[in-house]
Amino acid sequence: MGTVLAKKTIRNFRESLHGELIIPGDEGYDRGRRVWNGMIDRYPAMIAYCGDVDDVIKSVDFAHTHGLLTAVRSGGHNVAGNSVCDGGIVIDLSRMKRIEVNAASRIARAQAGLTWGEFDRATQTFGLATTGGIVSRTGIAGLTLGGGIGWLMRKFGVTCDNLLSAEIITAGGQRMTASAVENQDLFWGVRGGGGNFGIVTEFQYRLHQVGPVLAGTVYYPAAKTREILRFYRDYISAVPDELTTMFVYMATSHAPSLYRLLRDRPVAAIHVCYAGPLEAGEKILKPLRDFGPPLEDAVRIMPYVELQSMLDSGAPPGLQNYWKSSYLKGLSDEAIEVLAGYSEAITSPLSQVHLQHLEGAVRRVSEDDMAFSYRDASCVLNIVTKWEDPRESEKHIQWTRDFEAAMRPFSTGGVYVNFLGEEGEDRVKAAYGPAKYGRLVTLKNRYDPTNFFQLNQNIKPAGTGAF
Ligand SMILES: Cc1cc2nc3c(=O)[nH]c(=O)nc-3n(C[C@H](O)[C@H](O)[C@H](O)COP(=O)(O)OP(=O)(O)OC[C@H]3O[C@@H](n4cnc5c(N)ncnc54)[C@H](O)[C@@H]3O)c2cc1C
């Protein structure tokens, strides 16, 4: 937005904050306007690094008063780039990192600026954890508000299944609690509906006992992708909820030992996390570790926090990133053929194809309980396309689009909202299905009728031209 603010107005706002205000020309501006996806290159008029809840309320008020386009940022990992804007204000919560763990009641109160690495380190001090993201630098906020899939989901549900309450600043600058007993409609909406209804300053999570896990990666020759996928389909159909797995086709392997063997060549892999009695885990994982035989078996007992950063090196910030995702009904032979064919035609050495197995506790929560959707899906497919040189964009984007289109016959028609790029209104609707989308619009009308929070996978309030 083209609002030009007087220097005095900015100075007064800056002085009123306990945190920091950065504007163009300030040291740290260029770093501050960057997000994880290097494709996103925006220039906000200001970045308000909030120090506390008061700062968040003041920032919302300031944005209202001056008609500023508003982006909300916590971990900055959103691939669509919704947490930064051109010309408006970024309300940044990344410095709000307080966490209190009550080991006796197994509850964590966590401020929105924490990453999963920080959250896990704090809860694992007490041998506790909840389902979180699989890369430790991802923010707890965006991930929780969209659902949250990760290594513990088949045992304990998705992240928002473990959300007990959220402290929210609404578009009107009001402070509210959403929980099973307070503002239940809002609680329904924030568990999957993203940042549409307000800024969450603090989450309260249910924790679980999580000891060392039997986890890691089994690598197989890429030439056997079809065989491996058929084995994987049969194998996951009978595994207990303690085991969460993910098939990955990697254009190049990140494992140092494999690098010598396979330098610059693709590899198929299955990442695993068994969060249960370790002896039982060894037996359950045996068929997977024997199959093939694998090129390398890098599964071992490890602390949960180690597993939680195991994939960090494959997700560095700053690369060009274009993702396409969909929920799959299952893995038919036809789906496997398409998956393998497109994987083999992968266009960038940095790209990966992810297939995360759901079911288990994810499926046991009723579809109506919250905005998070498609609990009947078997897997999430995520085509994670990455490259360095922006001049190559067309080729990589085209491969990703063609791949996703070819997989449509095998999709539930739904998509996981946290893996969406900037894909338009129909895809946002597809993330919830028509009935839930309608309920979300009702909520949006109630809590944000002017669409103040519009930089997200946007639920458009009725009357804004969406219908
Ligand atoms: C490397 C990588 C790994 C990932 N792994 C997983 C995974 O394992 N599981 C999974 O489920 N997802 C995963 N994701 C997707 C992730 O859930 C989303 O990118 C999510 O938006 C990240 O949250 P964030 O706080 O880091 O992002 P941000 O970019 O800071 O925020 C994303 C959006 O969330 C909203 N938002 C952020 N903070 C707040 C707040 N405090 N209050 C209200 N709204 C807010 C805003 O609309 C914002 O645009 C991954 C993403 C990346 C890049």
Side-chain angles (χ1 to χ4, degrees), residues 352-407:
Q352 297 190 350
V353 180
H354 294 179
L355 196 64
Q356 283 175 272
H357 177 218
L358 300 166
E359 302 179 337
V362 180
R363 198 172 266 188
R364 282 196 295 275
V365 175
S366 159
E367 183 67 34
D368 294 332
D369 272 14
M370 58 190 89
F372 179 77
S373 302
Y374 296 100
R375 291 183 181 273
D376 59 340
S378 155
C379 296
V380 186
L381 168 69
N382 197 8
I383 308 160
V384 180
T385 307
K386 302 167 198 268
W387 64 101
E388 270 172 307
D389 186 346
R391 288 170 303 184
E392 292 177 4
S393 298
E394 202 181 323
K395 168 175 73 171
H396 302 308
I397 289 173
Q398 198 56 52
W399 170 78
T400 319
R401 287 183 176 158
D402 292 347
F403 190 169
E404 187 268 331
M407 288 302 291

Side-chain angles (χ1 to χ4, degrees), residues 35-37 71-84 91 93 112-114 116 132-135 137-151 159 194-203 314-316 321 323 356 382 386 416-419 453 455-457:
V35 287
W36 178 82
N37 186 355
V72 179
R73 183 169 65 187
S74 291
H77 262 206
N78 177 255
V79 76
N82 283 325
S83 53
V84 66
I91 303 181
L93 284 86
L114 289 157
W116 282 105
I134 62 172
V135 169
R137 292 181 301 257
T138 305
I140 65 166
L143 183 137
T144 303
L145 293 169
I149 60 174
W151 294 125
T159 309
N196 271 287
F197 308 108
I199 303 182
V200 176
T201 54
E202 187 173 284
F203 299 91
N321 268 273
W323 298 5
Q356 283 175 272
N382 197 8
K386 302 167 198 268
Y416 175 38
V417 74
N418 272 348
F419 289 165
F453 297 113
L455 291 178
N456 41 46
Q457 297 300 342

